[in-house]
Amino acid sequence: MRREIRITPSILNADLSDLDNEISRVAGVSDLIHLDIMDNIFVPNFTFDFEQATKIIQSCPIEVDAHLMVADVDMIAPAYAEVGCSSVTIHAEATKNISSTLRAIRKLGARAGLGIKPATSIEDYIDVIDDIDMFLIMTVEPGFGGQKFMHEMMSKVRRTRAVIGDRPIWLQVDGGVSLETIAEASEAGADVFVAGSAVFNAPDPAAMVSSLRNLAASVSD
Ligand code: DX5
Ligand code: ZN
């Protein structure tokens, strides 16, 4: 069965002073908008507090995929589902109640995502797979846009795809995804692609989203 490809532009490196316009440039051709929430504790960077994030989520014309890089993730994750995100991803390294937080997100009607950093292995989380709607394999250290894609994460993507089997679980990669790297990630089994700088640094962000999608689809099985 051919996997459906989803492209989710990250607004981290978009022009934040003109965000509505930046989002409108890609909304028509993108599946979701990826919103990076950083607290300067879990990662050494800060993006938006909950109030600022809520405004972005509620004015976004397409579905929002929230990527929570925050320390107190069990406390805050359900609130992101409540304010309308269609997908909420928590980090395995930040949660103390993995199943109950994933279930709470789902119960509020959002997809429950589990993200792992480059040094974290997927095998430790197979026992909670039934609570997961999306795995996020980080292909950079979380914290900043514009970093180099870690090719060595592709074996983890392959193993995750094998573990997923026939389950309807999405497999997302985030970090350094571009025209140079997306085919490799798709071939390894990813089907949801976050792209920040590749999209918003392009002269035509919408055309870039379409090119990324075509490349990913050309090698997906
Ligand atoms: C990094 C963020 C990413 C980031 C990706 O921690 O999670 O979503 O915006 O940016 P690029 O695509 O530039 O690597
Ligand atoms: Zn992200």
Side-chain angles (χ1 to χ4, degrees):
M1 191 182 75
R2 187 165 269 268
R3 288 196 302 275
E4 188 169 338
I5 299 296
R6 293 182 171 82
I7 308 290
T8 69
S10 160
I11 57 168
L12 186 62
N13 279 16
D15 177 357
L16 298 181
S17 67
D18 195 16
L19 199 51
D20 286 351
N21 187 40
E22 290 281 77
I23 291 176
S24 72
R25 294 172 81 187
V26 295
V29 290
S30 304
D31 297 281
L32 304 102
I33 293 293
H34 182 86
L35 183 63
D36 291 300
I37 307 295
M38 306 185 188
D39 64 352
N40 208 17
I41 300 170
F42 182 70
V43 289
N45 194 3
F46 183 87
T47 54
F48 310 105
D49 63 24
F50 183 65
E51 204 181 318
Q52 293 168 315
T54 300
K55 284 196 186 121
I56 297 170
I57 294 158
Q58 294 187 335
S59 64
C60 189
I62 64 171
E63 293 180 18
V64 174
D65 169 39
H67 176 194
L68 306 183
M69 287 160 276
V70 298
D72 277 333
V73 75
D74 298 309
M75 301 280 291
I76 195 75
Y80 278 90
E82 250 160 11
V83 295
C85 292
S86 73
S87 165
V88 179
T89 296
I90 63 170
H91 263 270
E93 305 85 358
T95 171
K96 296 182 187 75
N97 298 303
I98 189 165
S99 278
S100 60
T101 300
L102 291 167
R103 285 177 195 173
I105 293 168
R106 236 187 215 172
K107 213 169 160 201
L108 288 160
R111 300 180 66 86
L114 183 72
I116 58 171
K117 298 207 283 185
T120 304
S121 77
I122 194 71
E123 282 73 16
D124 295 342
Y125 300 99
I126 293 172
D127 56 335
V128 292
I129 195 163
D130 291 331
D131 297 323
I132 294 172
D133 297 307
M134 180 171 81
F135 279 109
L136 160 58
I137 308 295
M138 289 304 299
T139 41
V140 296
E141 282 300 337
F144 299 93
Q147 301 182 76
K148 201 172 166 299
F149 181 84
M150 297 170 73
H151 296 273
E152 61 273 32
M153 292 301 119
M154 295 304 100
S155 59
K156 200 194 283 189
V157 173
R158 279 180 214 286
R159 294 201 307 277
T160 309
R161 174 53 66 192
V163 164
I164 289 173
D166 291 335
R167 297 175 180 87
I169 298 176
W170 296 357
L171 178 48
Q172 182 177 59
V173 285
D174 181 8
V177 172
S178 69
L179 291 176
E180 284 71 46
T181 58
I182 195 166
E184 185 180 345
S186 178
E187 217 161 22
D191 55 6
V192 185
F193 302 87
V194 178
S197 45
V199 168
F200 285 103
N201 291 347
D204 183 343
M208 176 55 72
V209 169
S210 301
S211 302
L212 289 167
R213 184 190 302 285
N214 291 341
L215 255 177
S218 70
V219 295
S220 104
D221 53 29

